[in-house]
Amino acid sequence: MERSFVLPSVFEENSTEFHKVAENFVDGIKIIDFKGKDYIVGNLALREGNAPHKLINTLVKEIDYELLALTGLMIATMGRYTRLVVTAGFPFTAYQSYRKDSEEFFLNRFDINFDSRTYGGYKVEKASFQVDSIEIMTEIEGCVKAIRDGVQQEKNNFFIASIGYGTFEIAQSLPKGIVQRTSESTKGLQYAVNIVENELKKGYYLNLLTEQQIERTFQRGLIVLDRKRIDLKELRLKALTSYYHEVISPTIKRKITNDDFTNTDRLYLVGGGAMYPELVDMFKEEFQSLLDVVVYPEPYLCAGRGYCLQSLSKAKLSSDFESRENTAYVGLDIGNSNTIIYISTPEIMKDVAEN
């Protein structure tokens, strides 16, 4: 079985006793006694919290990363699997400095207390699980893995642009690997969101909304201020246009040479930013005579799926691969906007082993 879950990357300390305020565990996550405090996470934090938040590109040792990572792993167990093989990742800029701490953090046994009453349970329960294996990749490598080994089965050279909230990344992928000279990380969609926020501040009091709450209004293209519905689509288009021409396009021009275009005719767009048609159109307009611009299906899942495929690839090398009935193979993408949990479980092990 293969499944994916999307968890908004926000949390908030909260001691309220909630009773049946969500339909399921993922929508009603409340972690109990995590470093001495209780936290609501994800959708529950957005719905019931006053200031749901997460710092951008946090260190592994900060609570933002630890809480979202462990919540993601707890979701990956699906209440059934106690052993996990995990692959996670970071942007280029953070990969080298964060990798070791991340590996040390994950390779442990965990006991996490959560409140089941939020979705109709009766008590505080405990999830116990162990990470048997962890691999840390760059986000771009994870996306390339998904494109080459997933449904697309891409065999040729291609460019890849990952448009995340915190980071925009570009690289050229050859069958033998990424061309490191072409790799670059720079500002993500946060740049455009900040433009919209600053424009709104000129005429409205934003009621101390957190960065993540502003981002959600950016996604919807609508905000209610002073009891007025304000359509943000035109302002969002202007912000995305500025972001593309001030950040994305110059980055590509700086890193991708004319020679690179001679052997590559396809550009894959991945990440949450690829969900904005107006931004995709800007890529197509600039590269219409050079590249076929392809939006990866459900682009926000791309890195997580690639990480999951890597977990499976690594596990296939083990002699006990086919007999691991209590193990889930996990791709964990802890993003600044959403945390993606992509899971393969024993129901598909036989098919994978035969391929």
Side-chain angles (χ1 to χ4, degrees), residues 76-91:
T77 69
M78 294 193 290
R80 176 179 175 184
Y81 302 98
T82 58
R83 307 181 78 89
L84 305 174
V85 174
V86 180
T87 302
F90 294 101

Side-chain angles (χ1 to χ4, degrees), residues 143-163:
C143 292
V144 168
K145 180 78 174 178
I147 294 168
R148 292 201 178 275
D149 295 351
V151 175
Q152 284 72 24
Q153 292 289 305
E154 179 65 68
K155 304 300 181 185
N156 298 320
N157 300 344
F158 61 85
F159 298 112
I160 182 168
S162 176
I163 316 165

